[in-house]
Amino acid sequence: MGDIAVFGGSFDPPHLGHLEIIRVALEKLAIDKLFVVPCFLNPFKTISLFSPMQRLDWLNNLLMGKDSRLKVLDFEIRQNKSIPTLKTIKFIEKLYKPNKIYLLLGADNIENLPKWYQYENLKAKVEFVIIPRKGYEIVGDFRVLPMREIAISSTQIKLALQKDDLEVLEFIPQAILEEILKRKEIAR
């Protein structure tokens, strides 16, 4: 296989910012495959709002049939525990044997990159491609995905769900939002 990109995250829940990142990555990076990798649990977090299987199902439904280069990879969720990115990259290398791996990361992750599991080994295996995020400066010698800053985060969406802030909820794809709102009604 040629060059690939990996876009991992909690996707808790998936939102329109994620879809825009995927669209731009497919358009701007010369890649044969883009792996979207929902994590079981972010190693820097203790809980997620939605279950791993729910987030995986949502991503599969959102991305199914969109582009033949897209693949939702369930590797981390199947491990049933938090998995370091390096292990996912090694799994992809072994299975797909890519020439080059781009690892897409939000600009909010740059500061903590040195804290990632075996960061130096990871850095040797991938080229980081940074996704501009509102409020975060891109410091360092990184390739940047040429796109507008993403002005929404899953954290903001989770807070909006608690407050019923409908303006922010517009960033959730309609099918997912309908399901979330039905669950909230049932829970009341």
Side-chain angles (χ1 to χ4, degrees):
M1 181 173 284
D3 295 351
I4 66 163
V6 176
F7 179 32
S10 298
F11 303 101
D12 189 27
H15 55 72
L16 298 180
H18 295 132
L19 297 180
E20 180 65 5
I21 291 163
I22 289 166
R23 185 192 69 73
V24 173
L26 288 168
E27 181 184 305
K28 301 291 184 183
L29 297 175
I31 53 175
D32 295 318
K33 193 67 82 178
L34 172 57
F35 293 98
V36 177
V37 186
C39 66
F40 180 78
L41 180 65
N42 180 319
F44 296 103
K45 296 181 181 172
T46 54
I47 59 168
S48 60
L49 183 59
F50 298 101
S51 75
M53 288 309 294
Q54 179 64 75
R55 294 180 283 117
L56 177 65
D57 286 346
W58 279 336
L59 284 169
N60 277 321
N61 291 337
L62 281 174
L63 302 176
M64 189 182 332
K66 291 263 190 238
D67 190 301
S68 61
R69 295 172 294 165
L70 262 176
K71 178 169 179 53
V72 177
L73 191 66
D74 64 355
F75 171 75
E76 291 189 16
I77 288 178
R78 281 188 289 111
Q79 307 312 303
N80 221 29
K81 63 181 181 182
S82 184
I83 298 295
T85 301
L86 180 63
K87 289 188 177 182
T88 302
I89 296 300
K90 286 181 176 181
F91 171 80
I92 291 170
E93 277 182 326
K94 186 176 180 182
L95 199 59
Y96 294 96
K97 299 176 181 29
N99 293 333
K100 181 173 193 148
I101 301 175
Y102 297 105
L103 182 60
L104 305 179
L105 291 178
D108 54 318
N109 287 295
I110 294 173
E111 186 179 334
N112 285 321
L113 262 180
K115 297 177 185 173
W116 286 31
Y117 174 80
Q118 294 189 11
Y119 168 66
E120 291 299 325
N121 288 341
L122 178 63
K123 191 165 84 169
K125 291 185 170 293
V126 302
E127 179 179 340
F128 296 108
V129 177
I130 305 302
I131 302 156
R133 290 280 306 267
K134 190 173 181 138
Y136 293 91
E137 188 179 343
I138 300 173
V139 178
D141 186 26
F142 293 103
R143 181 171 180 169
V144 177
L145 194 62
M147 63 183 296
R148 293 182 290 115
E149 291 179 336
I150 298 296
I152 191 69
S153 70
S154 293
T155 301
Q156 290 170 292
I157 289 173
K158 285 182 268 201
L159 290 171
L161 284 169
Q162 292 170 353
K163 298 176 185 174
D164 290 325
D165 179 352
L166 298 180
E167 187 177 318
V168 173
L169 298 184
E170 292 174 1
F171 287 95
I172 302 174
Q174 193 60 40
I176 292 174
L177 180 59
E178 286 172 12
E179 191 172 331
I180 290 171
L181 294 176
K182 275 186 208 167
R183 286 180 182 197
K184 278 189 77 151
E185 279 303 311
I186 292 169
R188 286 184 182 177

